[in-house]
Amino acid sequence: MTFKALDMTAFQQRLDRWRGSAASINSFRDDHDRLIVKLTDPTGQQEPVGLAFFNCTYLAGPVSWSAMNLIVQESQRDDGSPGYEARDDVAGFVVRFASSSLYGDEESFLRERS
């Protein structure tokens, strides 16, 4: 499996392809504070994909919702280091994290900011 590093704009564009899909928390692993959200195509024409958030410092909102509309932006993490925030304002979902990957469609990742 090959992953492609993307800047924030390109990662958002890749994520936008899944806008309107059903989203649900698939798992959380505390070894790397990794959250995986499953995105399911509402038409059923595509296989579900996984959206992983690494080194999460904050999480709020529902465990599943429809019509996903996540927006990724730069933010500061709780310790003051640079990071990202993904939010879906309609669903009330927010996660703050260091890096992210989208896999199952075209594998890509958003690098950790330095």
Side-chain angles (χ1 to χ4, degrees):
M1 181 180 333
T2 304
F3 280 83
K4 181 179 181 181
L6 301 175
D7 65 17
M8 194 174 68
T9 301
F11 190 80
Q12 182 67 55
Q13 289 171 344
R14 184 81 40 95
L15 187 57
D16 286 346
R17 294 181 192 171
W18 290 90
R19 183 169 286 156
S21 66
S24 60
I25 292 179
N26 184 280
S27 68
F28 181 80
R29 297 274 317 246
D30 63 355
D31 56 349
H32 292 290
D33 296 322
R34 180 183 68 200
L35 171 70
I36 299 178
V37 175
K38 180 172 89 171
L39 303 177
T40 305
D41 177 17
T43 67
Q45 295 177 351
Q46 298 182 66
E47 291 292 318
V49 297
L51 176 59
F53 299 103
F54 300 98
N55 297 311
C56 299
T57 59
Y58 180 83
L59 174 63
V63 296
S64 64
W65 67 100
S66 59
M68 183 280 299
N69 185 21
L70 283 171
I71 305 297
V72 177
Q73 58 192 18
E74 293 180 348
S75 73
Q76 250 188 356
R77 298 173 65 207
D78 294 344
D79 65 2
S81 64
Y84 300 97
E85 179 178 273
R87 74 173 39 243
D88 185 326
D89 287 331
V90 172
F93 181 84
V94 179
V95 61
R96 293 187 191 117
F97 57 98
S99 64
S100 183
S101 67
L102 181 63
Y103 57 93
D105 181 9
E106 293 179 76
E107 284 76 15
S108 56
F109 69 94
L110 179 61
R111 292 180 197 259
E112 191 168 344
R113 292 173 55 209
S114 53

